[in-house]
Amino acid sequence: MFSTSLTWNDLQFLLQGAWVTILLTLASIAIGTLMGVVCGLLRALLPRATLPLAWLLDVFRSVPLLIQFVLFNAFKSIAGLNISAFSVACVVLGIYAAAFCTEIVRSGVLSVPLNLRRASRSLGLSYTQDLRYIVLPMATRVAFPGWLNLVLSVMKDTALVMWIGIVELLRASQTIVTRIQEPLLVLCIAGLIYYVMSLVVARLGARLESRWQEND
């Protein structure tokens, strides 16, 4: 007969951790997308002038995220910055997401055929109008699948914030495992919650893509 020491309070604790994971994902993706769009446009339109920016973003893409968390948290303590661990996590995850989002946006902008842009200019559109009405709409559709994958990746990467003291879903599950010593059950439940959250994001993205196709 199956028996467990897992209680309803434990499940609520896991859901609270899942909510922290969602908040971290939303905040970091908002930061990363805003920075990524700006940097991506600069990298696509001014490639040579933005080479230093490209090198800087390469650092954030190359250095493991865990090291970035530890270093930024240590810098916060050394500099005496009075910011919460949650804010540190949002900043680090946001910059990390921006480094990848920049390349996603850049590739989307560069995917727009140059002849199409020349045609729009020959029809009288200004440079700004060309970007707004031709380049950005087409680039968005190309870049959206990559951006959606970035969202799912960042959601899983939030598990690393446990190393700076934030109780998100994985940290909550480990706390419960330590108490009741049932790792298989608890981690299966945590994995199911991650799956449900990822499935919701993927389904919303697929629905948005289908609407774009219907409007074509």
Side-chain angles (χ1 to χ4, degrees):
M1 182 178 178
F2 175 77
S3 62
T4 179
S5 300
L6 190 71
T7 65
W8 173 245
N9 288 334
D10 292 330
L11 292 176
Q12 288 182 317
F13 188 55
L14 284 174
L15 292 177
Q16 289 173 0
W19 177 243
V20 173
T21 294
I22 292 173
L23 291 178
L24 282 169
T25 303
L26 292 176
S28 57
I29 283 297
I31 295 171
T33 301
L34 181 60
M35 294 177 61
V37 169
V38 174
C39 294
L41 285 173
L42 291 175
R43 288 289 299 125
L45 302 176
L46 303 169
R48 293 185 179 179
T50 56
L51 274 178
L53 176 62
W55 296 333
L56 178 62
L57 294 176
D58 280 340
V59 172
F60 288 102
R61 278 196 301 269
S62 303
V63 176
L65 189 54
L66 178 57
I67 295 178
Q68 296 184 41
F69 277 126
V70 174
L71 290 179
F72 196 96
N73 200 47
F75 173 77
K76 179 199 74 170
S77 301
I78 295 172
L81 299 177
N82 187 23
I83 57 177
S84 65
F86 186 88
S87 298
V88 170
C90 289
V91 170
V92 174
L93 278 170
I95 296 176
Y96 183 75
F100 286 94
C101 189
T102 296
E103 290 304 306
I104 293 172
V105 173
R106 186 180 73 89
S107 62
V109 172
L110 294 180
S111 70
V112 180
L114 187 58
N115 289 337
L116 183 61
R117 298 195 61 186
R118 289 173 178 169
S120 68
R121 298 299 298 276
S122 67
L123 292 174
L125 270 68
S126 65
Y127 185 80
T128 304
Q129 290 174 327
D130 173 47
L131 286 177
R132 180 178 178 182
Y133 298 111
I134 304 298
V135 176
L136 290 181
M138 295 186 65
T140 299
R141 298 192 182 193
V142 173
F144 182 75
W147 178 84
L148 190 63
N149 287 332
L150 178 62
V151 175
L152 296 174
S153 177
V154 169
M155 182 180 293
K156 291 180 290 184
D157 288 337
T158 57
L160 295 174
V161 302
M162 61 180 289
W163 293 100
I164 58 175
I166 298 178
V167 182
E168 41 66 62
L169 180 54
L170 184 60
R171 179 66 177 268
S173 65
Q174 290 185 336
T175 301
I176 296 172
V177 167
T178 301
R179 186 177 61 82
I180 68 175
Q181 295 299 310
E182 296 180 24
L184 183 60
L185 175 62
V186 176
L187 292 178
C188 282
I189 295 174
L192 179 61
I193 295 174
Y194 273 117
Y195 172 75
V196 171
M197 293 191 298
S198 299
L199 182 63
V200 170
V201 172
R203 289 293 175 84
L204 289 175
R207 181 174 297 182
L208 182 57
E209 281 191 288
S210 66
R211 285 186 178 180
W212 278 342
Q213 293 176 356
E214 291 172 1
N215 293 331
D216 286 342

